[in-house]
Amino acid sequence: MTMQGNGQQDERITGDHKTEPHPTQERVAEPRANLPLQPDLSWSTGTRPGVGAHTGVEAHIGADANAGAVAKVGSAAKPGDHAKIGNAAKSGGNAKVGNAVTPGRNANVGNDADAAANVGSRPLPSSSVQAPHDRIQHAPLVAEGKRITGPVMLDVVGTTLSRDDARRIAHPLTGGVILFARNFTDRAQLTTLTEQIRLVRDDVLIAVDQEGGRVQRFKTDGFTVLPSMRDIGALWDKDVFLGTQAATAAGFVLASELRACGIDLSFTPVLDLDYGQSQAIGSRAFHRDPRVVAMLAKDLTHGLALAGMANCGKHFPGHGFVEADSHLAMPVDDRPLDELLADARPYSWMGIALTAVMPAHVIYPQVDLLPAGFSRKWVTEILRQRLGFAGAILSDDLSMLGARAVGDHVAAANAALDAGCDMVLVCNQPHEADKVLQGLVYEPSRLSQRRLKRLRPRGKPLSWKKMVRQEEYRAAREFLATHLGAPR
């Protein structure tokens, strides 16, 4: 347990992305960069007059450069060479997106570019971010005139944005921000923080682990203390209909309160089975029976959807059987594939109700020697192809000890994307987040961008003042209080 600055205790092992010291074939088949991808040429000094995106001449970030084309990121590319984002241009120099480049110089995509124009960012409130400049200077990644969602989700250090927080969020490879208990003191402060984040980037996905039970980041100043999923499962054992109603009510209350404070997504539901032995899962699981897990999870996601929120099932194919906690160790589940797939049946049974999936940092050696989240066998061949999952796949926190099986944070991020993940999470180690942003090799695809787009909330959220007067919200809270003892 660690004590937050606001006096709250935050468990180091109670949820995903949770060690808090402070703070395929399908991928091959996807169009790797046939978007076409073009940086905004208004800030680029690496193009020659008369050489541009003419018909039949494509030299885009992440795309093959045709003969005679000039790479738009500031260095010439040889015929057939890739000019990948974050990778060296084959013609002799890395090109920095958003900065003037001299061929042959090393430069990383999206680092601070003092010579760059102010593209894709807005001023931050001076009261919240102390910085020598009033704008974070990064050029966005764009495709067909639209900004691309970056593949990295990271966190912020405290209750307001620092200059370094803002710099990382403004990086073109950043696509999301995850919040923790340390980022919360009260609702007003939390709402201000999410507004600050959107002043830097209005397109980032803001997420949190707000499952209920022991994994709930925000519990005070009006937030409903939600029951654990095990408690909802126990209610289902007594009365099936009360259990399903409770799951829907919990999802609706959870999503309504988060969206009223500017948060887009909660990493829920937990689809692990309750074997009664996992240190990491425990009461976070609904039930031992995968049929009950699937039904209650679907009811919970229905409640989320009623408030306009997507969902993310975790931890594929299952973390409930192993005792070790992947935050602190490298769990190994040595069961055969058929038993593992029996645990994973909720992922199939939920069907199109499941928006996203998070794989486990667990090794299943009878299938692959890599943890599931870094395994093409698990992510692409089994989850995507065999089970037919078409939603987004997000890695678990790369700072967890279970991720060290594939190397450092940069190696883990690249391995997760290569396995088929759409986004990677880097939490609680901002210096490692910087390394990932500098060292990641990323090739955007249309399919991945569509999957990530589906994570965004739908509809305009109610303000907290209007929400607490909403009839459906009041009825859902009353139901949880009556049947599960949640405070009114």
Side-chain angles (χ1 to χ4, degrees), residues 371-394:
F374 309 105
S375 165
R376 182 177 292 270
K377 178 78 172 179
W378 277 113
V379 175
T380 297
E381 295 181 20
I382 297 177
L383 181 56
R384 285 255 185 253
Q385 297 173 355
R386 183 166 178 170
L387 302 185
F389 179 67
I393 301 176
L394 296 86

Side-chain angles (χ1 to χ4, degrees), residues 137-472:
Q137 299 173 340
H138 287 310
L141 302 181
V142 294
E144 299 178 344
K146 297 181 181 180
R147 170 173 267 176
I148 290 174
T149 300
V152 179
M153 179 175 285
L154 40 75
D155 57 4
V156 299
V157 174
T159 55
T160 60
L161 289 190
S162 69
R163 170 67 178 180
D164 282 338
D165 289 329
R167 171 180 55 78
R168 281 185 284 270
I169 294 169
H171 195 288
L173 293 182
T174 297
V177 176
I178 181 171
L179 301 179
F180 290 93
R182 67 170 182 271
N183 304 124
F184 173 77
T185 55
D186 55 54
R187 285 188 290 107
Q189 168 272 322
L190 179 62
T191 303
T192 299
L193 177 59
T194 59
E195 290 172 349
Q196 291 172 349
I197 292 170
R198 298 201 192 281
L199 282 176
V200 180
R201 285 276 298 278
D202 60 4
D203 63 330
V204 294
L205 187 75
I206 302 179
V208 68
D209 283 308
Q210 189 87 340
E211 300 171 11
R214 65 175 185 166
V215 180
Q216 182 172 347
R217 303 311 185 201
F218 316 136
K219 300 180 181 179
T220 59
D221 196 23
F223 276 97
T224 303
V225 179
L226 298 165
S228 72
M229 300 305 99
R230 179 184 281 170
D231 288 342
I232 294 178
L235 181 60
W236 187 95
D237 284 335
K238 298 176 181 177
D239 188 309
V240 171
F241 294 106
L242 288 180
T244 57
Q245 285 180 273
T248 302
F252 182 73
V253 169
L254 181 161
S256 297
E257 293 177 352
L258 291 180
R259 293 206 63 202
C261 294
I263 296 171
D264 303 318
L265 177 71
S266 177
F267 289 110
T268 188
V270 172
L271 298 182
D272 303 306
L273 305 189
D274 187 2
Y275 281 94
Q277 61 197 34
S278 173
Q279 297 175 14
I281 304 304
S283 62
R284 299 166 65 193
F286 283 106
H287 208 272
R288 171 63 181 84
D289 189 330
R291 297 170 298 180
V292 179
V293 170
M295 286 186 286
L296 291 178
K298 197 164 187 177
D299 288 320
L300 184 135
T301 60
H302 178 58
L304 297 175
L306 289 173
M309 184 175 284
N311 60 78
C312 181
K314 57 190 185 184
H315 309 81
F316 178 81
H319 201 313
F321 186 80
V322 292
E323 182 178 350
D325 184 348
S326 54
H327 300 87
L328 309 172
M330 185 67 258
V332 176
D333 188 336
D334 199 27
R335 292 179 295 165
L337 178 60
D338 58 345
E339 291 186 27
L340 298 172
L341 291 180
D343 280 12
R345 283 178 293 181
Y347 293 89
S348 296
W349 289 338
M350 286 193 68
I352 60 173
L354 194 59
T355 316
V357 167
M358 179 176 289
H361 287 333
V362 176
I363 293 176
Y364 308 90
Q366 294 202 40
V367 180
D368 196 342
L369 296 181
L370 292 173
F374 309 105
S375 165
R376 182 177 292 270
K377 178 78 172 179
W378 277 113
V379 175
T380 297
E381 295 181 20
I382 297 177
L383 181 56
R384 285 255 185 253
Q385 297 173 355
R386 183 166 178 170
L387 302 185
F389 179 67
I393 301 176
L394 296 86
S395 83
D396 208 339
D397 178 17
L398 300 184
S399 297
M400 294 164 57
L401 189 60
R404 297 287 69 79
V406 293
D408 62 15
H409 287 67
V410 176
N414 282 313
L417 293 179
D418 287 343
C421 291
D422 299 294
M423 181 173 280
V424 297
L425 277 68
V426 186
C427 310
N428 306 308
Q429 297 190 37
H431 60 290
E432 295 294 344
D434 282 331
K435 293 178 184 178
V436 170
L437 293 175
Q438 293 172 13
L440 193 66
V441 178
Y442 178 54
E443 299 178 61
S445 77
R446 282 193 183 97
L447 288 179
S448 182
Q449 288 295 305
R450 290 171 187 164
R451 292 191 288 258
L452 292 173
K453 186 177 181 180
R454 295 188 195 113
L455 296 177
R456 300 191 178 281
R458 297 184 179 184
K460 185 178 179 181
L462 296 177
S463 67
W464 193 278
K465 185 176 180 180
K466 290 182 178 180
M467 179 195 71
V468 296
R469 297 199 300 264
Q470 183 191 39
E471 182 178 347
E472 294 87 350

